[in-house]
Amino acid sequence: NAGVTQTPKFQVLKTGQSMTLQCAQDMNHNSMYWYRQDPGMGLRLIYYSASEGTTDKGEVPNGYNVSRLNKREFSLRLESAAPSQTSVYFCASSESPGANQPQHFGDGTRLSIL
Amino acid sequence: GENVEQHPSTLSVQEGDSAVIKCTYSDSASNYFPWYKQELGKGPQLIIDIRSNVGEKKDQRIAVTLNKTAKHFSLHITETQPEDSAVYFCAPYSGGGADGLTFGKGTHLIIQP
């Protein structure tokens, strides 16, 4: 009963490096989301995928790309990491599109950009 | 987009007392009002939600009340326990724009023994 699994849990990068954050859900949900959380802030939406094969920008998409690999997996890529992208990243899923229903979150990836 | 404010930002209560957190939103079209709890090192977890056709909902020690006229809803926790210590977020939804949640900035609830 894993729910939403994120890897890695921690990562340190140097400015300019690239990396991909992985997310997988085992609840057969259609929709998946990527958020970032900065100190003292609520979570902000980076990208989302309403269904397999579709992706859309959220509130803070600049500097990121996403891939909905299949129904289970949704990855977030930083092509050229910047210190401003130091944050905790959360992946979430929901049964269908729309924020008017429960979203299930992973436990996050803590990313530091030096 | 939705403008969401939570108050207070920090709330400290004695174990066994009640706690109330208020969330104010701007979009009168909002129709879904959830509360999420985030424990240290974990992702947020939905603890209770309410829809616009209901004024109040209760689940054991937690309840949510909605005042659509004043555009605010509140989380009520009674008989607080140490495990209630966490950060609580509201995330009202109006149906427009992206499908993701728009979170308030959070309320850090501290339960004093």
Side-chain angles (χ1 to χ4, degrees):
Chain A
N1 191 20
V4 177
T5 302
Q6 293 183 235
T7 55
K9 294 189 186 307
F10 302 93
Q11 185 70 47
V12 178
L13 293 178
K14 293 181 180 178
T15 298
Q17 287 185 317
S18 62
M19 88 161 289
T20 300
L21 309 186
Q22 307 287 353
C23 174
Q25 52 92 9
D26 63 2
M27 295 172 283
N28 200 35
H29 284 172
N30 289 296
S31 303
M32 298 185 73
Y33 313 82
W34 276 105
Y35 295 87
R36 62 177 286 173
Q37 184 175 32
D38 299 305
M41 304 279 288
L43 283 71
R44 293 182 292 168
L45 183 68
I46 304 172
Y47 270 94
Y48 67 102
S49 171
S51 60
E52 187 178 354
T54 70
T55 60
D56 285 286
K57 295 179 180 179
E59 181 185 354
V60 289
N62 291 344
Y64 305 96
N65 286 301
V66 291
S67 296
R68 184 73 182 269
L69 304 170
N70 47 55
K71 191 172 185 180
R72 289 187 63 247
E73 299 173 288
F74 188 38
S75 64
L76 178 72
R77 183 163 178 82
L78 287 70
E79 289 291 350
S80 179
S84 61
Q85 294 178 304
T86 293
S87 190
V88 183
Y89 292 85
F90 288 97
C91 176
S93 70
S94 62
E95 191 169 335
S96 56
N100 59 343
Q101 60 183 292
Q103 293 192 5
H104 300 261
F105 287 81
D107 284 337
T109 294
R110 285 145 186 83
L111 183 61
S112 292
I113 317 294
L114 304 179
Chain B
E2 185 83 92
N3 185 27
V4 180
E5 292 189 1
Q6 275 184 244
H7 295 282
S9 56
T10 303
L11 178 60
S12 181
V13 301
Q14 290 294 125
E15 183 178 349
D17 288 350
S18 295
V20 182
I21 303 169
K22 183 177 178 180
C23 181
T24 303
Y25 59 94
S26 61
D27 192 338
S28 58
S30 294
N31 54 26
Y32 176 64
F33 307 92
W35 284 97
Y36 283 78
K37 174 184 181 182
Q38 186 177 24
E39 297 177 345
L40 193 63
K42 300 287 188 181
Q45 179 183 14
L46 178 74
I47 55 170
I48 196 165
D49 58 7
I50 195 171
R51 299 193 183 268
S52 58
N53 59 344
V54 177
E56 181 174 357
K57 183 177 178 181
K58 191 173 182 179
D59 182 3
Q60 299 184 343
R61 296 188 298 107
I62 61 172
V64 55
T65 58
L66 173 63
N67 185 328
K68 287 212 73 180
T69 303
K71 290 189 283 187
H72 66 74
F73 62 111
S74 297
L75 175 68
H76 305 255
I77 305 174
T78 59
E79 301 173 15
T80 53
Q81 300 171 4
E83 55 264 35
D84 295 329
S85 292
V87 180
Y88 293 81
F89 294 97
C90 63
Y93 176 67
S94 62
D99 285 341
L101 296 165
T102 299
F103 283 81
K105 290 187 178 181
T107 296
H108 187 193
L109 177 62
I110 301 165
I111 308 301
Q112 302 279 7

